[in-house]
Amino acid sequence: MDRQEIKSMLESIVGESGVKIDEPMNIHTTFKIGGVADYFVTPSSVDELQSVITFLKKSDIVYFIIGNGSNLLVSDDGFRGVIIQLNDTFDGCEFIDDTTVEVMAGMLMSRLGNRLAKKGIGGFEFATGIPGTIGGAVRMNAGAYGGEMKDIVVSAKVLDSDCNLMEISADKLEFGYRTSSIVKNNYTVVSVVLKLEKDEPDKIKARIKELSVKRREKQPLEYPSAGSTFKRPEGNFAAKLIEDAGLKGASVGGALVSTKHAGFVVNKGGATAKDVCELTDRIKQEVMTKFGVKLELEVVKLGF
C-alpha cells in the first residue's frame, strides 16, 4: 500500500481535516523537539479511534498514540508510521453526579482542573498543573504534591490489544509508581471516571494558584522540557543525585540540566534529540559511577 492509499484510507475514517502528512513533531511535544511523522491522525470519537487502529493493525503499519506530547522525546529523524493524537478532538466531560465525572482521554489536566474548580469540585488541585492529558496521566499514575491519580480514579475505559472496548475498575489497574496495568498490557485509554469532593470554588482556585506558584518557583517552566527527566530511584531523588554529581548546569548543544531543578533536562534553544540523549546518557553514567545508582528515564523515547 503506497502513501496516497494509506492517506485516503485514513481520511475515509476521520475526514480530510483529521489527517496530515509529514507532520513536524516538534510542534506537538512540550520539548519542542522531533522530526516529522509520516502521518498524523486526530480521531474525534471512540468509533473512529477503533477503526483507525484496526486498519493500521491489519495493514501492519506502525502507530503510536499521544496526548499533549508532554512526556515524549521524538527522534530527529521523526517517526516512520502513524501518530494518533487524542487531544482537542477527544476531550468530552460528563458529570455522573455531584462529585463523579467521566472524562475523555484527550482532556488537558489544566482544562479539567479549572472546569472542576468553577463547579465547586475539589480533590483535583494536585493534578491541575501537570502539563498532559488525563489519559496519559492515568496510564502513568501521574502525581504531584502528595496526590496521585490512583487516589481519585474509579475506573477506566480502554481498548485492549484486539481493539475491544473494556472497562477496568481501579483495583484492577495495578497502579504503581509511574505505571499501571495499562502500561503493562499496552492498552489505550479512552475515558476515565474520577471520584472527587465538593468544596467552595474560591478555596479550590486558591489551592490551584498556590501550587502553581510553587511550580514556577521550583521548576524551569520558562524552558521547553518533558517534565521530570528521570524516575525517582528507590530511596533516593534523581535531582539530588544529579546535583551531587556536579551536573547541574551541564549541557550538550541546546540541551541543559536546569540550574533551577537538576531533575529537568530542558531545551535552552535549538536542542536536538541527539543533544538530549547524549546529555542523559552522560548523567546516567556519572551517577552510576559516583553513587552506584541506576537512573531510569521517565521520558518516553519515540522513533529511535
Side-chain angles (χ1 to χ4, degrees):
M1 192 176 293
D2 64 26
R3 278 170 66 90
Q4 188 55 48
E5 287 175 314
I6 295 171
K7 180 174 182 283
S8 297
M9 189 63 201
L10 290 170
E11 287 177 345
S12 73
I13 299 170
V14 302
E16 283 187 30
S17 62
V19 181
K20 294 177 181 177
I21 299 292
D22 294 333
E23 180 72 356
M25 289 304 295
N26 61 351
I27 63 174
H28 295 290
T29 65
T30 57
F31 233 148
K32 305 300 179 192
I33 293 172
V36 302
D38 289 346
Y39 309 90
F40 191 88
V41 179
T42 50
S44 56
S45 69
V46 177
D47 285 345
E48 285 185 4
L49 176 61
Q50 284 177 297
S51 296
V52 167
I53 294 175
T54 299
F55 160 63
L56 297 175
K57 281 179 174 287
K58 283 181 178 175
S59 305
D60 286 326
I61 298 169
V62 178
Y63 69 92
F64 189 84
I65 298 172
I66 69 169
N68 194 44
S70 58
N71 196 43
L72 199 59
L73 177 65
V74 180
S75 163
D76 300 317
D77 295 327
F79 183 70
R80 303 287 71 80
V82 178
I83 294 290
I84 302 171
Q85 185 183 48
L86 307 183
N87 195 344
D88 292 344
T89 59
F90 222 81
D91 69 345
C93 179
E94 184 177 341
F95 290 89
I96 296 169
D97 60 35
D98 284 351
T99 56
T100 310
V101 59
E102 182 171 9
V103 189
M104 296 297 285
M107 172 73 80
L108 286 170
M109 305 280 271
S110 55
R111 190 181 302 166
L112 177 61
N114 290 319
R115 185 177 295 186
L116 293 171
K118 286 177 184 175
K119 291 183 73 72
I121 299 175
F124 196 78
E125 295 91 331
F126 78 90
T128 302
I130 296 173
T133 56
I134 194 79
V138 172
R139 187 177 189 273
M140 292 192 63
N141 187 28
Y145 299 107
E148 289 183 294
M149 293 308 298
K150 70 178 179 61
D151 303 328
I152 56 175
V153 171
V154 174
S155 63
K157 286 179 184 170
V158 303
L159 297 181
D160 67 12
S161 55
D162 295 318
C163 239
N164 298 312
L165 185 64
M166 54 192 280
E167 187 164 7
I168 308 175
S169 59
D171 60 326
K172 299 281 174 54
L173 285 169
E174 300 173 28
F175 285 124
Y177 176 66
R178 302 298 175 262
T179 191
S180 67
S181 62
I182 297 165
V183 174
K184 294 168 189 171
N185 296 304
N186 200 28
Y187 293 153
T188 300
V189 180
V190 168
S191 68
V192 182
V193 176
L194 306 176
K195 182 67 176 176
L196 299 158
E197 59 199 24
K198 290 296 287 181
D199 204 344
E200 295 175 27
D202 288 346
K203 287 184 178 179
I204 299 168
K205 290 173 185 176
R207 283 197 292 271
I208 290 173
K209 187 175 180 181
E210 180 188 344
L211 293 180
S212 176
V213 169
K214 280 186 181 180
R215 274 193 175 87
R216 284 199 302 272
E217 286 174 350
K218 295 181 179 180
Q219 298 178 9
L221 303 183
E222 64 273 24
Y223 291 109
S225 79
S228 295
T229 307
F230 296 96
K231 293 180 181 179
R232 186 179 67 232
E234 194 170 343
N236 267 297
F237 293 96
K240 186 178 188 310
L241 290 166
I242 294 165
E243 187 167 350
D244 289 349
L247 292 167
K248 202 172 192 180
S251 65
V252 174
L256 169 77
V257 177
S258 168
T259 53
K260 186 186 280 189
H261 190 312
F264 286 68
V265 169
V266 301
N267 178 358
K268 66 180 180 179
T272 64
K274 184 172 181 284
D275 293 340
V276 175
C277 290
E278 286 185 15
L279 184 56
T280 52
D281 285 348
R282 179 184 164 194
I283 292 166
K284 287 193 282 188
Q285 185 177 353
E286 294 203 22
V287 168
M288 174 56 80
T289 300
K290 291 183 179 178
F291 307 111
V293 177
K294 184 179 181 181
L295 289 180
E296 184 183 347
L297 281 175
E298 186 169 313
V299 176
V300 176
K301 293 167 76 173
L302 181 65
F304 290 85

